[in-house]
Each structure stands twice: as structure tokens, then as C-alpha cells.
DNA sequence: CAAATATATGTAGTTAACTACATATATTGC
DNA sequence: GCAATATATGTAGTTAACTACATATATTTG
């Protein structure tokens, strides 16, 4: 029983622990970029790297690609525009759309970052390649929730 | 290379994905409590359950126990005080300390919640007991960071 | 035993995501 | 081809954690 209750508490504590974990990694990431003399915030990575790969995207498609709600993307884009790392233009076919792309400065920055990614990748691998791989665990949990939500699973037990 | 860069992106995306994950579980948790006719917010669990176990605690020791920064605990305690689920009194020995405990109403609520925990525990087990167990993965990553931080690990590669 | 240090609590402000709502433009279907 | 619906973007406000700072009290040490 004791263990069970701790698990119930543990479930709710996952959020906090992982937030703290990623927060710490993000801060360390910032320091690594600094060590390479690069003025860059880790939270910019998903947007910039996606634009690096795909050259031009609308706000919503970019949001879907990186898995953020669109207002989050908009606020990141605002910062990046201020930094002159991206620019945007109207889509001539569908005028609702705003097409976003890297500036020359943005592209230059991204290319100077590649060696840093190598370092980050190696350090990440060291940390997460434990017996229960964190990345894989997240994927698996997301997949099981996709299949049947937490609530749906709970309902089965409630009905009993 | 492609895979590596996706990993670098993935690392930074962990934060978001897990936040969303826990957010969803928390919302479903709220609905489960509702299904049982219990007016309860999942985020209250760690504080209330700890007080249920330990009866009386100071703000800082409670924060340590649940793994939150103390201002977060204080703000939860404010809500719980408003709900009349907890009350506090001064420690007569060390007057800096505020001792927090459940009210009778709080204790009653907690005892009605036990059957709900059973359900939550079962649903959680279904979801997280995959090949790579999420809870265990988190523990392992926290342990490897404890041993050597992300930054320290990265520094080894930078120096090369 | 007084000064320096440590600990406990509290407040204010930040962060990085979110949801809800508003508006403009495009697409669909009768 | 117009009305209803869907999609794209944007703004405002929320959430739940955080850090930094302030103050009061306790403990330690020279």
C-alpha cells in the first residue's frame, strides 16, 4: 500500500521533476553555447533547426513540426525576428499565411552551431543511455496514451 | 548525422513533451476525482499526502519532502488554507517555523480519496510499464546528473 | 556574549508553456 | 455565388513552476 500511494504521488511529481531536469539541461546548454562564443538560447533550437531543414514554413506548420501550440511559436518568432535571425513574408497564394525563413545571419549562426550539437549529443547520450532509456520511455508512454487515454483507462476500473 | 541532429533537437524538446504529458495526466486526474464526486486538484496531492503521512511539518521540510522550491509550497498552502483543508501554527521551540497540518475536513477528504488512488495507480501502471519504464528512466537520469552534470560532461568533449 | 553566519519564511517578478477568444481569409456545399 | 464552415494568425490572460531578494530568528564562533 505504502508503495502504491508513493506511486500515485510519484505520478503527479513527474511533471515537476522533468521540468527541473530539462530546465537544468537547458541552462547547461546555454553555458555550452557560451563556451563556444555563440549567443544562442536553447529554446530557439526547434524553430531555427526546422527552418534550417525546410527553408520556408508557415506559422502553423512550423508549430506542428516542433510540437508547440501556435501562440508559443509566435512568441519565439518575435524574439528571433528581433535578433534578425529570421524574417517573414506573405504567402502570395494563401494570403492568410505568413511564411517564415532564416536570414543570412540566421543561416551563418546555424552553421557555426554544428560542432556544438556534436558535443550536446554526446553528453546527452551519456546521460540518457541508462537501463531504461528516457527518450524511448517518453515515446512509449506517448504511444500508449495515443492508443488509450489515461482517463479511458481509469474509467475501466471505475465501472468495476 | 540527420539522426544526431534530431537527437539534439529531441533533447531540447523533452521539456515540452513531458510537460504536455503531465499536463494531460493532471487534467484526466481532475476528471477522475470529479467522477468520484471529489472536489480536488491533482497538484494538491503531494502537499496533502505528505501531511497525511507526517501530520505536522514546517514549510521548508515539506518543500524538501515533495521536491518543490519553498515559494511553490507556500502558494499551494495558501490555496489549501483557503479551502480549509490545512491550518498552521507557530513552532513554540523555533519561532521562525510555521507548522502546517491537515484540518479535520482535510483528513476526511484524504480518506475518501483512497479508492481513487487505486484507480490512478492502476491506470498509471498500464501507461508507464512499457519496455523502458518512465519512472525508472527519470530516476536513472537524475542519478547520472547527480554524479556528473550535463555541463561537466560536455566540457570533456570541448577540451578535446 | 556579540558578531557573523545560517536557516525559515515570505514577496515580487520571471519563464515558457498553455487555452480561449478575436479576426481575416479560404474553401466547401447547397 | 453566397452562406456556412474551416483554417491561419494574432492577442490576452493563465498556469505552475522557478529565482532573487528581503526580513526575522536561531546558531555558531572567536
Amino acid at each position: 500500500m505504502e508503495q502504491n500511494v508513493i506511486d500515485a504521488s510519484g505520478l503527479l511529481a513527474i511533471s515537476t521533476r522533468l521540468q527541473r531536469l530539462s530546465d537544468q539541461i537547458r541552462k547547461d546548454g546555454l553555458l555550452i553555447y557560451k563556451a563556444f562564443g555563440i549567443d544562442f538560447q536553447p529554446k530557439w533550437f526547434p524553430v531555427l533547426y526546422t527552418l534550417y531543414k525546410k527553408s520556408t514554413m508557415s506559422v502553423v506548420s512550423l508549430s506542428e513540426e516542433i510540437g508547440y501550440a501556435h501562440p508559443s511559436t509566435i512568441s519565439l518568432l518575435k524574439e528571433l525576428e528581433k535578433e534578425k535571425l529570421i524574417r517573414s513574408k506573405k504567402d502570395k497564394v494563401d494570403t492568410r499565411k505568413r511564411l517564415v525563413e532564416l536570414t543570412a545571419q540566421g543561416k551563418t549562426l546555424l552553421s557555426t552551431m554544428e560542432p556544438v550539437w556534436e558535443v550536446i549529443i554526446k553528453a546527452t547520450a551519456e546521460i540518457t543511455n541508462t537501463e531504461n532509456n528516457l527518450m524511448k520511455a517518453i515515446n512509449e508512454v506517448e504511444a500508449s496514451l495515443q492508443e488509450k487515454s489515461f482517463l479511458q483507462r481509469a474509467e475501466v476500473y471505475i465501472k468495476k
Side-chain angles (χ1 to χ4, degrees), chain A:
Chain A
M1 182 58 206
E2 178 66 8
Q3 186 54 45
N4 282 349
V5 174
I6 285 169
D7 285 346
S9 172
L11 171 69
L12 299 164
I14 286 183
S15 164
T16 321
R17 290 170 67 195
L18 291 169
Q19 216 168 296
R20 212 169 16 228
L21 202 61
S22 67
D23 203 56
Q24 194 186 326
I25 289 173
R26 178 167 285 178
K27 271 176 197 153
D28 283 356
L30 184 60
L31 293 174
I32 293 166
Y33 286 115
K34 267 211 185 113
F36 278 84
I38 297 170
D39 178 25
F40 182 78
Q41 294 206 39
K43 67 173 168 174
W44 295 343
F45 186 91
V47 166
L48 290 184
Y49 183 67
T50 302
L51 293 174
Y52 191 52
K53 275 190 301 183
K54 305 242 173 153
S55 17
T56 282
M57 292 187 97
S58 73
V59 175
V60 167
S61 59
L62 184 53
S63 303
E64 280 164 0
E65 182 84 11
I66 66 178
Y68 286 14
H70 81 272
S72 313
T73 306
I74 289 170
S75 103
L76 286 171
L77 289 173
K78 261 184 200 155
E79 285 181 42
L80 293 169
E81 201 137 35
K82 201 186 277 174
E83 299 285 331
K84 300 199 196 307
L85 296 174
I86 61 130
R87 70 172 153 247
S88 35
K89 58 186 182 194
K90 267 234 142 68
D91 183 325
K92 280 163 194 163
V93 181
D94 185 339
T95 65
R96 292 171 306 178
K97 283 184 182 160
R98 168 182 158 198
L99 298 176
V100 185
E101 63 187 4
L102 293 180
T103 58
Q105 196 182 324
K107 283 175 193 162
T108 305
L109 177 67
L110 272 271
S111 65
T112 65
M113 283 169 56
E114 295 204 355
V116 186
W117 298 339
E118 300 276 321
V119 169
I120 290 176
I121 289 157
K122 283 177 191 160
T124 304
E126 271 190 28
I127 288 164
T128 62
N129 288 342
T130 55
E131 201 179 326
N132 293 273
N133 184 287
L134 181 62
M135 308 281 194
K136 286 181 186 163
I138 294 167
N139 285 334
E140 288 164 4
V141 169
E142 281 178 344
S144 59
L145 282 174
Q146 190 86 42
E147 195 198 289
K148 199 174 169 191
S149 80
F150 187 71
L151 184 59
Q152 286 170 333
R153 287 171 200 271
E155 274 166 352
V156 174
Y157 298 112
I158 294 172
K159 276 167 194 154
K160 273 175 194 163

